[in-house]
């Protein structure tokens, strides 16, 4: 350790912890999910898996054209849990979409329109 003018060693000072804001956390989460699911643009999260009648974290991923991306069970459950914990204030009785480019979460109710401009 470097010595001070008095000849005694300087004591280590604790580093100042900077608390990340919610926006920083949400962008970090979006970046992690984009790494976990390559090619994904939207992650849709709900607490109701279509094949079950009881609540269960569930995720679907979509690319930039709105085409579904296949997820394995681990990706599906882990992504859903991460998003639900990061956005705990959201009403999880309905599905929500996380945009991986901006890190914003919105209700999936209005996002169900066909992407091809048809009916």
């Amino acid at each position: 350790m470097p010595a001070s003018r008095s000849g005694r060693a300087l004591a280590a000072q604790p580093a100042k912890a900077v608390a990340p804001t919610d926006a920083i956390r949400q962008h970090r989460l979006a970046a992690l999910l984009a790494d976990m699911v390559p090619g994904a643009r939207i992650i849709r999260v709900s607490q109701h898996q279509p094949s079950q009648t009881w609540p269960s974290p569930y995720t679907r991923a979509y690319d930039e054209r709105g085409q579904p991306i296949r997820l394995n069970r681990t990706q599906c459950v882990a992504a859903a849990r991460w998003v639900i914990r990061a956005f705990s204030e959201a009403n999880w009785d309905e599905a929500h979409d996380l945009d991986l480019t901006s890190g914003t979460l919105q209700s999936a109710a209005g996002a169900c329109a066909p992407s091809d401009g048809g009916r």
Side-chain angles (χ1 to χ4, degrees):
M1 265 193 217
S4 67
R5 283 184 261 180
S6 66
R8 293 181 6 195
L10 295 174
Q13 297 295 321
K16 291 183 182 178
V18 177
T21 64
D22 287 341
I24 292 171
R25 283 190 193 118
Q26 292 163 359
H27 277 64
R28 255 193 243 164
L29 174 63
L32 286 171
L33 290 172
D35 286 343
M36 185 167 80
V37 185
R41 168 102 197 287
I42 299 288
I43 299 285
R44 181 167 292 168
V45 178
S46 67
Q47 284 204 4
H48 298 286
Q49 186 172 354
S51 62
Q52 296 178 349
T53 57
W54 58 88
S56 175
Y58 186 68
T59 304
R60 286 160 283 189
Y62 300 96
D63 64 11
E64 66 278 350
R65 294 178 299 154
Q67 300 299 317
I69 296 174
R70 190 161 257 238
L71 301 174
N72 63 38
R73 179 162 167 69
T74 303
Q75 289 172 319
C76 185
V77 173
R81 287 180 179 166
W82 290 357
V83 172
I84 289 169
R85 287 179 185 154
F87 295 93
S88 59
E89 71 282 354
N91 177 12
W92 289 107
D93 290 337
E94 59 185 39
H96 286 78
D97 288 345
L98 177 64
D99 186 345
L100 297 183
T101 57
S102 66
T104 58
L105 185 78
Q106 59 186 358
S107 176
C112 293
S115 60
D116 63 350
R119 302 177 226 134

